[in-house]
Amino acid sequence: MAKLNMLRVNRLPLIHYGVAVLASLLALLFRLLLEPILQGEAPLLLFILPVMVSAWYGGFKPGILATILSALVGSYFFIPPIFSFVPTDLADAIRCSIFLVEGILISALNESLRRSKQRSEATALSLKRSEEQSRLIIEGVQDYAIFMLGLDGRIVTWNDGAQGITGYGVGEILGRHLIILYPSSSQTSEAADHLKPQQELQIATTEGRFVSEDWQQRKDGSLFWASIVTTGLRDETRNLRGFSRITRDITERKQAEESLIRSAHRLEALHEIDRAILATEFGGEPIGTALDRVSQLVPCERAIATLFDFETNTAQILQEARSEGEANPEVVPLVFFLPERVFQQDLQQKVEYITAAQICPISLTRSLSAQGSCIRVPLVSDEILLGELTLFVTATTEWSDEYQDIVTEVANQLAIALRQSQLRNQIQQKADELEQRVIERTLKLQAANQELESFAYSISHDLRAPLRAIQGFAQAFLEDYGDRLDNLGQEYAQRIVTAAARLDTLIQDLLNYSRVSRTDLQLQRINLTAVVEDVLTQLGASLQEQQAQVIVEKPLLSVLGHRSTLVQIVSNLISNAAKFVPPERTPQIKIWTEMREDRVRLWVADNGIGIAPQHQDRIFQIFERLHGVEVYPGTGIGLAIVCKGVERMGGQMGLESQIGEGSQFWIELRRGT
Ligand code: ADP
């Protein structure tokens, strides 16, 4: 085949040149025939014809060939001298030259005419081919409906995709108005139905393009969600010729988007329920939030949470979504929700009964519309059936797995919230009981303490009278009858006097302690210099006896305190400082005050025996002593009085001590202003 074509191509110029030769010869023949008539006139005129024919048929080169051949035969046969190629006359020579120029021009013009014709033919062919391809592509597209509309909105082309998506065949759709693809509404008029497509075409006309997403209707009446692009088509002079419309069925994408939005809402709702449960105490808001949310996510007429009590066989309808004015939870018999035979069954059976129950709980049916059913989900936590979540759905509601999941999730959260609340209530109840018991016991203890203190006070007080009698009579006995007693008798009498004196000191100390504990202390500004001076005067005799040296860094600061209690405290500290000193050492006592923020600290330091660290806490307790009475006399009450007094004035106390090197006791009270 290729070879044949080659031959054809090769033979084509030969034919062209052959035609040039033949045409020239024919022209010669005609001219010879006409010669008797023309008589040598216009010798070359007829020869212009073979030139034109050859140039038209074969192009430039055959045209030139015909021109040369014609010029040669014309001058040979018809231009004098006859049978010679070279004209002798100048006019004939010019005639020949003009003929040659005309021939060349005709050949060149024909050649360019031929070429442009060939080009335009090639262009038209390729245009036709590309149009054909475009048409095939558009018609073959399956995923998109691509079609054209006339100016009046009627469909003029229809591709395979359009047929596949809408179900309309080419034959039945061409010439129909675009409105056929729009869902018709039973509620609106035909004019109103037309409005939408007309508006779209209007916008495509004014703005060039209209892009939208909308519901479209298939031939079988079903709907699909479409992405639509309508474009106004204009010719070179900008006149509107019609519209192209590309439609794609994106129902699946829309469904996926909607399901994504739904699951986002669902997550958000569940989070909100979680937050509500965490944020507030159970009994109101969390349940309200949960029920409101579930009724927003799941189409239902009512959503109700109920708590079961298997001890009293009652059910408490806790709260209902969108209920107005139902403040108090309603309590109804449990049989409204479960038949009596189920009460004693195990958890599994109860759960199965609720889940499978087709009928609504009795208490709810009265307020529900006639057609519909209840979805009942048990509320179970910690293997305990706490109640149920009831949703009333109408007969037309489509109940999907997704809805089932949502209700189950919410029910699980509610169950946890209910259980937590129950446990919290139990803990709270226990804590309340415990607190009540502590309060009662504290009150009893306080009463007993008070009783004990007043008892100790009255005993101590009452003991002093007989003790004085013992002391007085023993003294008198010794003075009046001492000379009649032998040494042993005198010693016995002396021991009675000493023991009575010790007992008196003890009772005195106990009374002081009791006074410090019981007196109502009115705090006021007390000058410590005056207090210390008073004490030193009181203790003057005994300090002198002990040869104690006392240094007071005056003036001492003032404190907020109770004067007589302070005198008692300072007296106890100074007398201890003078007392607990080794016999060979002269007691040296130093007293000073210092500011510590808004408090004043009073120091009493000695050079005594010191106190071992392990005993430093102990000695502030009543009757705690580190030595026998025979070594250092005392009752063990002095520091207990200091401790109680300081505590009652809102202060603190402590000590720094090293054994053998002395002790520094301090008390700290608020500054007296
Ligand atoms: P009392 O002085 O009557 O023994 P206190 O309650 O005043 O009772 O003191 C308790 C104990 O603390 C004392 O028996 C003594 O052992 C110790 N004590 C108190 N003050 C000092 C001190 N300045 N130096 C050494 N020991 C002390």
Side-chain angles (χ1 to χ4, degrees):
M1 187 70 179
K3 211 172 169 188
L4 206 71
N5 280 342
M6 279 265 282
L7 276 174
R8 252 187 221 157
V9 171
N10 287 341
R11 271 166 55 186
L12 214 57
L14 277 180
I15 294 169
H16 291 161
Y17 291 120
V19 168
V21 173
L22 195 68
S24 302
L25 290 177
L26 275 173
L28 173 64
L29 191 66
F30 273 113
R31 184 64 181 84
L32 285 173
L33 288 173
L34 291 173
E35 182 55 24
I37 302 162
L38 293 175
Q39 298 283 331
E41 284 296 316
L44 295 176
L45 187 65
L46 200 67
F47 288 100
I48 207 77
L49 290 173
V51 173
M52 285 167 78
V53 168
S54 306
W56 168 79
Y57 185 70
F60 184 67
K61 285 178 185 167
I64 294 294
L65 179 66
T67 307
I68 295 167
L69 270 177
S70 298
L72 286 175
V73 293
S75 70
Y76 187 76
F77 286 104
F78 305 108
I79 294 173
I82 305 292
F83 304 125
S84 162
F85 290 112
V86 186
T88 48
D89 190 25
L90 181 64
D92 288 335
I94 290 170
R95 212 173 277 142
C96 276
S97 302
I98 289 171
F99 177 81
L100 281 172
V101 170
E102 279 177 354
I104 291 165
L105 276 174
I106 288 169
S107 303
L109 282 172
N110 259 308
E111 178 65 22
S112 77
L113 210 71
R114 263 169 61 89
R115 291 231 169 119
S116 71
K117 194 180 160 200
Q118 274 172 356
R119 266 203 303 276
S120 70
E121 274 175 3
T123 311
L125 193 69
S126 78
L127 210 69
K128 199 177 161 203
R129 275 194 195 136
S130 96
E131 266 181 8
E132 184 69 10
Q133 280 168 352
S134 303
R135 191 179 61 76
L136 286 174
I137 288 170
I138 289 172
E139 279 183 1
V141 169
Q142 298 293 332
D143 294 341
Y144 289 84
I146 304 172
F147 55 95
M148 282 174 63
L149 304 165
L151 287 171
D152 55 358
R154 288 182 187 281
I155 295 162
V156 289
T157 66
W158 195 245
N159 77 335
D160 287 356
Q163 185 165 348
I165 291 172
T166 66
Y168 288 107
V170 185
E172 53 191 334
I173 195 86
L174 291 185
R176 303 294 296 270
H177 193 274
L178 179 63
I179 182 73
I180 197 170
L181 299 175
Y182 280 80
S184 56
S185 162
S186 53
Q187 281 116 34
T188 52
S189 65
E190 200 180 324
D193 285 347
H194 265 82
L195 208 61
K196 211 175 204 180
Q198 271 168 2
Q199 277 174 345
E200 287 185 14
L201 296 182
Q202 186 60 43
I203 295 170
T205 306
T206 52
E207 293 177 13
R209 232 158 84 95
F210 178 80
V211 181
S212 68
E213 285 189 4
D214 204 349
W215 286 110
Q216 299 274 277
Q217 193 169 35
R218 294 193 186 90
K219 185 182 173 185
D220 61 9
S222 62
L223 300 181
F224 64 97
W225 186 253
S227 137
I228 304 163
V229 182
T230 309
T231 312
L233 299 176
R234 292 179 185 274
D235 60 15
E236 315 82 68
T237 53
R238 305 291 304 144
N239 284 328
L240 188 70
R241 303 302 297 267
F243 302 92
S244 75
R245 192 174 162 96
I246 302 175
T247 306
R248 191 172 183 208
D249 180 355
I250 54 166
T251 315
E252 272 179 29
R253 198 185 78 191
K254 187 172 172 63
Q255 280 168 348
E257 275 173 11
E258 280 174 354
S259 125
L260 221 73
I261 292 169
R262 268 205 308 280
S263 74
H265 279 163
R266 177 172 150 192
L267 267 173
E268 195 192 325
L270 292 172
H271 277 146
E272 202 170 310
I273 295 167
D274 278 345
R275 275 202 301 275
I277 288 170
L278 286 175
T280 54
E281 288 290 304
F282 175 73
E285 272 319 291
I287 294 193
T289 311
L291 295 177
D292 275 346
R293 282 294 168 170
V294 80
S295 50
Q296 275 165 22
L297 293 171
V298 177
C300 64
E301 215 174 273
R302 289 175 76 187
I304 299 148
T306 311
L307 202 59
F308 297 161
D309 186 340
F310 288 97
E311 275 177 23
T312 57
N313 288 341
T314 54
Q316 190 183 15
I317 301 169
L318 282 177
Q319 209 170 345
E320 191 181 329
R322 301 182 201 130
S323 64
E324 283 157 22
E326 280 180 45
N328 292 326
E330 193 184 346
V331 177
V332 295
L334 189 54
V335 283
F336 284 11
F337 286 82
L338 299 172
E340 223 164 331
R341 65 183 156 80
V342 182
F343 287 8
Q344 301 308 323
Q345 288 177 345
D346 63 18
L347 173 71
Q348 190 60 31
Q349 287 166 313
K350 284 177 189 153
V351 165
E352 272 169 18
Y353 174 83
I354 294 173
T355 316
Q358 297 288 322
I359 45 162
C360 290
I362 298 169
S363 63
L364 308 180
T365 44
R366 56 177 184 243
S367 54
L368 297 175
S369 52
Q371 286 180 341
S373 60
C374 277
I375 306 294
R376 299 175 61 178
V377 185
L379 300 172
V380 180
S381 181
D382 283 353
E383 301 284 301
I384 301 169
L385 176 65
L386 302 164
E388 72 168 57
L389 175 64
T390 320
L391 261 71
F392 183 79
V393 293
T394 54
T396 51
T397 311
E398 268 183 45
W399 192 253
S400 68
D401 285 352
E402 194 184 343
Y403 291 151
Q404 184 68 44
D405 288 351
I406 293 172
V407 178
T408 311
E409 274 177 69
V410 173
N412 289 344
Q413 283 176 308
L414 260 184
I416 293 168
L418 280 164
R419 185 71 189 131
Q420 275 180 349
S421 153
Q422 281 183 346
L423 292 174
R424 210 170 22 230
N425 284 347
Q426 280 173 13
I427 291 170
Q428 188 59 45
Q429 218 174 324
K430 287 267 180 322
D432 288 348
E433 278 173 24
L434 217 66
E435 202 175 330
Q436 190 55 36
R437 244 186 271 169
V438 168
I439 290 170
E440 281 168 14
R441 288 208 180 142
T442 311
L443 284 174
K444 274 187 198 162
L445 210 67
Q446 277 173 352
N449 260 348
Q450 248 167 14
E451 219 172 286
L452 209 67
E453 275 173 10
S454 61
F455 177 70
Y457 182 79
S458 60
I459 290 265
S460 314
H461 198 265
D462 294 352
L463 277 177
R464 292 197 78 193
L467 184 63
R468 285 226 180 84
I470 295 171
Q471 260 183 316
F473 284 113
Q475 194 67 42
F477 177 68
L478 205 59
E479 281 169 12
D480 297 348
Y481 300 96
D483 49 350
R484 286 183 236 173
L485 294 172
D486 60 4
N487 284 348
L488 193 61
Q490 281 189 4
E491 193 190 327
Y492 286 165
Q494 192 54 50
R495 282 197 183 192
I496 293 172
V497 173
T498 313
R502 270 201 65 214
L503 191 57
D504 189 41
T505 317
L506 186 63
I507 290 174
Q508 193 67 45
D509 282 353
L510 272 175
L511 282 172
N512 284 337
Y513 180 79
S514 182
R515 200 171 297 123
V516 170
S517 309
R518 286 152 51 89
T519 320
D520 185 18
L521 302 186
Q522 298 287 342
L523 301 189
Q524 53 193 16
R525 186 171 186 270
I526 307 290
N527 183 347
L528 282 179
T529 313
V531 169
V532 170
E533 276 173 357
D534 270 13
V535 172
L536 290 178
T537 314
Q538 270 178 32
L539 298 177
S542 74
L543 289 176
Q544 230 167 12
E545 195 184 308
Q546 288 163 309
Q547 296 178 333
Q549 297 169 2
V550 182
I551 301 166
V552 182
E553 282 188 2
K554 291 184 191 167
L556 299 173
L557 296 166
S558 294
V559 293
L560 206 61
H562 183 256
R563 193 176 159 79
S564 61
T565 308
L566 268 170
V567 168
Q568 180 77 60
I569 288 169
V570 173
S571 168
N572 289 2
L573 290 176
I574 294 177
S575 52
N576 276 354
K579 184 167 61 173
F580 293 104
V581 178
E584 69 286 356
R585 209 180 285 173
T586 308
Q588 287 179 342
I589 302 165
K590 193 178 165 194
I591 300 165
W592 74 99
T593 51
E594 66 180 25
M595 270 314 288
R596 294 178 77 93
E597 294 174 3
D598 62 335
R599 299 191 153 233
V600 171
R601 186 175 278 197
L602 171 74
W603 289 91
V604 177
D606 62 51
N607 61 339
I609 56 171
I611 302 157
Q614 68 271 25
H615 300 311
Q616 290 182 2
D617 284 340
R618 221 180 99 191
I619 53 171
F620 291 102
Q621 288 165 23
I622 198 162
F623 301 130
E624 284 292 344
R625 307 200 71 241
L626 302 179
H627 315 92
V629 187
E630 38 318 318
V631 188
Y632 293 107
T635 58
I637 300 175
L639 286 181
I641 292 175
V642 173
C643 191
K644 178 63 86 178
V646 169
E647 185 187 290
R648 294 215 55 210
M649 289 187 288
Q652 287 171 318
M653 58 169 303
L655 83 136
E656 289 170 10
S657 181
Q658 286 217 318
I659 199 111
E661 290 183 15
S663 310
Q664 301 185 341
F665 281 83
W666 58 264
I667 63 164
E668 201 174 275
L669 294 168
R670 261 175 294 156
R671 184 185 177 182
T673 45

